Amino acid sequence: MLVGMNMTTRSDAAGAVSAGAAVHLTGLRKHYGDVRAVDGIDLTISPGEVVALLGPNGAGKSTTVDMLLGLSTPDAGQATIFGRPPAEAVAAGGVGAMLQEGSLLEDATVGETVAMIASLHRAPMPVATALRRAGIEDLASRRCTKLSGGQKQRVRFAVALVCDPDLLVLDEPTAAMDVGTRRGFWQSMREFTDTGRTVLFATHYLDEAEEFADRVVLMRAGQVVADGTVAQVRSVVSGRILRAVVPGATAEQLRLLAGVTGVELRGDQATVDCADSDAAVRALLAGYPRAHDIEITAVGLEEAFLALTSSEEEASR
């Protein structure tokens, strides 16, 4: 059975609320018939934090984001942004959002689109600044119908930025971006967060969460199952990963070594999950003295993610 972990204590959360939390979700629930899309979420994000919301498809990430932004009404619980109801915070220009399904005006140019959104806010940043920060200055005169998927994502980013928000909410922000564009996007995000703004982003790219988030929140089946820094979430899953070239060994043979809990073998390259890496490496060298290129590493965020989510699946069987 998977036991939920929350690195933030009740007193910490209460302190953050009293100090003016950027995001505060209490008892948030949203059901669609028998489907519990969000099933009782409590989450507090302090001003200036960069938080990654992780989880497999159907975990409830997008539904949570929709309720936070006031696009969907919770069946129970409450969401506030800097102490305000979502609709009030959004109307005041304190929130910028980049949504997965956000559409653009096809006949308008990129510059016209961002300028139109800027005109809806009391104190927007200059349109040229939003275009520059999103890396699309050269696309200002291009019509939205002529944009690639990655370019459309960057325009959505400019639209989210132009209100000069205190909180930026991003749902799968780098979907459809190539590697170079993703790198440029996160460089822009660093510039934004360096000003002390708060960011909540949902992503499937665990490497992005590991590199850019101060904190990760892992969801499964509508609930938070882990919440803390990357190091804290990784520590929930004990063990080490041993990698080595082991000529002549089979996966079945390696699984019999002391301290080993799992084996993946491709050719002679073995990746071994270890409950006791010291015992495993001693047994490996004793049984396979030709083993070489041995490397032992801590469990990464991806391994922790898979272990936590698979545990939930096993618990439901």
Side-chain angles (χ1 to χ4, degrees):
M1 179 178 180
L2 177 63
V3 178
M5 176 200 68
N6 193 329
M7 298 298 177
T8 305
T9 65
R10 291 181 184 275
S11 60
D12 290 338
V17 173
S18 63
V23 171
H24 187 53
L25 309 179
T26 54
L28 211 60
R29 298 180 186 274
K30 186 68 176 181
H31 298 174
Y32 297 99
D34 294 333
V35 178
R36 298 182 176 184
V38 174
D39 195 24
I41 287 183
D42 298 308
L43 178 65
T44 300
I45 299 174
S46 299
E49 277 194 292
V50 180
V51 178
L53 190 60
L54 306 178
N57 289 332
K61 303 187 302 296
S62 293
T63 302
T64 299
V65 167
D66 285 349
M67 288 189 286
L68 171 63
L69 296 174
L71 300 175
S72 178
T73 303
D75 295 332
Q78 186 180 38
T80 60
I81 300 173
F82 294 105
R84 297 177 168 183
E88 186 178 321
V90 171
V95 185
M98 179 179 172
L99 301 180
Q100 207 172 352
E101 302 299 328
S103 58
L104 301 173
L105 296 174
E106 295 186 353
D107 292 334
T109 66
V110 169
E112 289 169 344
T113 299
V114 178
M116 181 188 67
I117 300 301
S119 70
L120 301 176
H121 295 281
R122 297 186 184 93
M125 69 172 61
V127 171
T129 301
L131 295 175
R132 177 182 56 78
R133 289 190 177 181
I136 53 173
E137 291 173 293
D138 58 330
L139 300 178
S141 60
R142 186 176 301 184
R143 296 195 180 279
C144 294
T145 51
K146 303 296 184 181
L147 299 175
S148 68
Q151 289 170 336
K152 288 180 180 179
Q153 284 294 87
R154 286 190 287 165
V155 174
R156 294 185 183 106
F157 182 44
V159 166
L161 282 178
V162 76
C163 65
D164 201 14
D166 294 313
L167 169 67
L168 191 58
V169 180
L170 313 169
D171 190 6
E172 301 293 346
T174 58
M177 291 186 186
D178 58 32
V179 174
T181 305
R182 282 175 63 192
R183 185 177 294 115
F185 171 83
W186 285 111
Q187 179 58 43
S188 299
M189 283 298 304
R190 281 197 186 95
E191 294 176 7
F192 179 80
T193 57
D194 283 347
T195 63
R197 312 298 176 91
T198 308
V199 177
L200 173 65
F201 68 96
T203 182
H204 279 98
Y205 296 111
L206 300 186
D207 58 322
E208 292 182 346
E210 197 155 14
E211 185 171 356
F212 298 106
D214 302 320
R215 174 179 161 203
V216 295
V217 176
L218 176 58
M219 291 185 64
R220 176 71 193 183
Q223 298 180 329
V224 172
V225 296
D227 180 355
T229 65
V230 169
Q232 287 172 326
V233 172
R234 285 192 309 209
S235 71
V236 176
V237 183
S238 60
R240 294 286 189 272
I241 306 296
L242 186 156
R243 294 179 175 85
V245 177
V246 191
T250 68
E252 289 74 17
Q253 291 169 332
L254 294 176
R255 286 192 187 95
L256 297 176
L257 296 177
V260 171
T261 59
V263 174
E264 180 182 346
L265 189 63
R266 295 186 179 181
D268 290 338
Q269 180 69 52
T271 301
V272 181
D273 298 328
C274 304
D276 185 340
S277 58
D278 292 336
V281 76
R282 284 193 294 265
L284 176 68
L285 291 173
Y288 303 91
R290 294 171 56 208
H292 59 92
D293 293 339
I294 297 172
E295 176 185 350
I296 298 174
T297 59
V299 170
L301 183 59
E302 182 173 356
E303 287 82 8
F305 174 91
L306 292 173
L308 289 166
T309 56
S310 64
S311 294
E312 177 69 25
E313 291 170 352
E314 291 166 2
S316 65
R317 291 175 184 172

